[in-house]
Amino acid sequence: GENVEQHPSTLSVQEGDSAVIKCTYSDSASNYFPWYKQELGKGPQLIIDIRSNVGEKKDQRIAVTLNKTAKHFSLHITETQPEDSAVYFCALPDKAAGNKLTFGGGTRVLVKP
Amino acid sequence: DSGVTQTPKHLITATGQRVTLRCSPRSGDLSVYWYQQSLDQGLQFLIQYYNGEERAKGNILERFSAQQFPDLHSELNLSSLELGDSALYFCASSVVPGVETEAFFGQGTRLTVV
């Protein structure tokens, strides 16, 4: 099955600084690369996704970059705010298995005011 | 609000018991996924149903089973519970499984086995 590695596992940043989380995968035919945010006591929520026909996608302070050749995609958060503190997961859908998601190990982001 | 409803939110039960977790998918979504989240294993896929039929299976224990009913709600049954089954159980739904698109997650059921 698909193997997804996510780094770092924890990330502490000062408010206003940037945060970058990277995921690498082993072998995927997926053309869809989502990022989920999980706040305490809640389920994961999609915050941004990218399809393989583009290399970068931005949504306000959040961006995702994709390098299919190198098999990695990254989440970038600029001008971090305390409400960005959460656990972030990258994921890969498995087209051969109903698009069930294989998740990275998660990154706990703490934004210090 | 994702539109996916899970009940109960919390469940405390003893070892050896059986519990049922319930999930109502978003209106219009035909596919339901169950995931287990534990501290040491992260988010792990258990099983998927599409329009009432089992579609994909992950590392789901034989003590666990699931089904999807004609109204598309799903239930995850966990039996002969062990301490190690304590975890968060999430249900997610999507429109159809063959399309790479967003999966919407419920708030989860926190199961504690004592």
Side-chain angles (χ1 to χ4, degrees), chain B residues 77-93:
Chain B
N77 301 296
L78 315 176
S79 62
S80 302
L81 285 167
E82 302 174 359
L83 296 176
D85 297 328
S86 295
L88 273 165
Y89 291 85
F90 288 103
C91 167
S93 73

Side-chain angles (χ1 to χ4, degrees), chain A residues 29-32 36 38 41-46 49 51 89 93 95-105 108, chain B residues 31 33 35 37 42-45 48 55-56 88 90 94 96-108 110:
Chain A
S30 178
N31 295 311
Y32 177 68
Y36 284 81
Q38 185 177 21
K42 297 186 178 181
Q45 181 181 12
L46 181 77
D49 54 24
R51 298 190 184 270
F89 293 94
K95 292 169 78 171
N99 281 319
K100 61 98 171 175
L101 294 172
T102 299
F103 286 89
R108 184 174 299 278
Chain B
S31 191
Y33 306 79
Y35 292 86
Q37 185 175 35
L43 269 162
Q44 299 287 322
F45 168 72
Q48 180 209 1
R55 180 67 181 257
L88 273 165
F90 288 103
S94 67
V96 290
V99 177
E100 291 177 314
T101 187
E102 179 176 0
F104 295 86
F105 283 78
Q107 298 275 50
R110 181 176 293 280

Side-chain angles (χ1 to χ4, degrees), chain B residues 33-106:
Chain B
Y33 306 79
W34 285 97
Y35 292 86
Q36 180 191 58
Q37 185 175 35
S38 59
L39 282 174
D40 56 344
Q41 294 291 324
L43 269 162
Q44 299 287 322
F45 168 72
L46 294 176
I47 198 164
Q48 180 209 1
Y49 278 80
Y50 170 62
N51 210 18
E53 300 287 327
E54 182 184 305
R55 180 67 181 257
K57 218 168 185 176
N59 295 326
I60 187 168
L61 299 171
E62 285 192 11
R63 300 183 285 109
F64 296 1
S65 65
Q67 54 185 329
Q68 187 178 28
F69 295 87
D71 66 352
L72 300 178
H73 91 270
S74 178
E75 292 180 357
L76 179 67
N77 301 296
L78 315 176
S79 62
S80 302
L81 285 167
E82 302 174 359
L83 296 176
D85 297 328
S86 295
L88 273 165
Y89 291 85
F90 288 103
C91 167
S93 73
S94 67
V95 177
V96 290
V99 177
E100 291 177 314
T101 187
E102 179 176 0
F104 295 86
F105 283 78

